[in-house]
Amino acid sequence: MTLQQLRFFIEVAEKGSMSKAANSLFISQPALSKQLKQLEKSLNQTLMIRTNIGIRLTEQGRLFLTKIGPLVEQLNSVICETINPTTFRFGSLPTLASYYFPKIAKQMKSHQLFTVLESRSTQLLESLQKGEIDGAFIQDFEEGDGIRALTLFEEEYLVAIPSDHPFARKPLINLDDLDEEKIILPLIPCETRLKIENMFKENGISFQLALETPYETILGYTAEGIGLSFIPEIQAEHVQHHGVVYRRLEPAALKRTLHFVTKSDLVFEMIQHYRTKGKLVEEVVPS
């Protein structure tokens, strides 16, 4: 029995699927299955059963998970606190650096951290491949040679609306409502801008370009009534801007998935241990 096998078992139990766990762990399904069979053999117990809809834990498997989960978590903490080197360089998109990564960094008190900010995930991936950073917090990652990816959470973009705009009185904004509206866009190149433009194009609606401006200034111009804009919900949760209200899109046509990527197994395991889940923003967006 190895610590790796225990981690694999916990991941499969949490995911409820061998394929999802294999993708998360960055190994093949046959290799994962082999490790789990070795674990069961060492325990002389059947811990899980394959079904048509995924993996089901046996009674022994549920009991084992209950007992071993906290122990592995405690051991992960000890390992993470004593990992060398003690200095790590992380790249991040600005919104994740401001509103997500600090929750992880707070737990990494025994390490010295340096953060590099970039506005595009492609830039961060290039830095990772060159060895300039140890890992990066990016969006909408698909695949890359030798790169391990940990999915953090998915979030919607919210519509940021001037408080005196008629839309401010609506509980939700329908896509059709946006047709021919004045929209503030971040400067090129920008992944968020591309998502916004694609959303309009794919849904057969158009917009009037009210202003192109650096991303950091968008809410200020929105508050002045220049136009509508789109803000990730993790930012909306933390930033209440005078003169701006947030509303959800119906349907939720503008989303992004956030990931942590690295080429280091050690760094992957560390962030997997320390990660926190993104929160929704029900407190700032009417239901």
Side-chain angles (χ1 to χ4, degrees), residues 9-196:
F9 167 70
I10 292 171
E11 187 71 15
V12 172
E14 289 180 349
K15 292 288 191 296
S17 163
M18 194 73 74
S19 60
K20 290 180 180 178
N23 289 336
S24 175
L25 294 165
F26 206 67
I27 63 172
S28 68
Q29 286 191 54
L32 177 58
S33 180
K34 181 179 179 180
Q35 290 295 318
L36 293 175
K37 287 179 180 178
Q38 289 177 353
L39 175 63
E40 290 180 320
K41 183 177 180 180
S42 66
L43 294 170
N44 195 29
Q45 293 283 356
T46 300
L47 300 177
M48 53 185 63
I49 299 172
R50 289 178 179 267
T51 70
N52 293 333
I53 59 173
I55 294 296
R56 179 175 62 83
L57 294 182
T58 63
E59 183 177 350
Q60 295 92 338
R62 289 192 294 272
L63 180 61
F64 185 64
L65 177 64
T66 300
K67 292 184 176 181
I68 203 66
L71 295 178
V72 172
E73 181 70 15
Q74 185 177 6
L75 184 56
N76 285 337
S77 295
V78 174
I79 293 172
C80 288
E81 289 170 3
T82 55
I83 277 176
N84 285 312
T86 58
T87 300
F88 295 97
R89 301 158 299 166
F90 293 118
S92 180
L93 299 173
T95 49
L96 291 176
S98 296
Y99 311 118
Y100 183 84
F101 181 55
K103 297 176 183 179
I104 295 177
K106 182 180 179 180
Q107 303 175 70
M108 300 174 66
K109 295 178 181 178
S110 60
H111 306 296
Q112 187 174 9
L113 308 177
F114 294 93
T115 307
V116 177
L117 295 183
E118 295 287 359
S119 60
R120 289 181 293 157
S121 296
T122 52
Q123 292 173 306
L124 293 167
L125 286 170
E126 288 176 8
S127 296
L128 180 63
Q129 292 287 17
K130 293 177 181 177
E132 296 171 350
I133 55 177
D134 299 303
F137 294 87
I138 65 173
Q139 69 181 50
D140 302 322
F141 177 74
E142 294 182 357
E143 61 180 15
D145 289 341
I147 295 178
R148 295 192 66 179
L150 178 66
T151 299
L152 302 173
F153 60 96
E154 183 183 69
E155 67 173 353
E156 299 174 27
Y157 283 81
L158 306 182
V159 187
I161 306 168
S163 57
D164 59 355
H165 191 286
F167 285 0
R169 297 190 292 271
K170 296 170 65 73
L172 294 170
I173 306 301
N174 294 316
L175 274 176
D176 291 342
D177 294 337
L178 298 176
D179 196 23
E180 294 300 329
E181 279 294 320
K182 293 181 179 180
I183 304 296
I184 302 171
L185 291 178
L187 295 173
I188 297 173
C190 176
E191 293 161 338
T192 291
R193 176 173 179 148
L194 183 60
K195 278 183 171 291
I196 295 169

Side-chain angles (χ1 to χ4, degrees), residues 258-275:
L258 290 309
H259 310 268
F260 176 76
V261 294
T262 182
K263 300 185 76 173
S264 165
D265 291 341
L266 181 151
V267 174
F268 181 90
E269 295 290 347
M270 181 175 64
I271 297 301
Q272 186 177 46
H273 171 67
Y274 285 132
R275 67 175 173 173

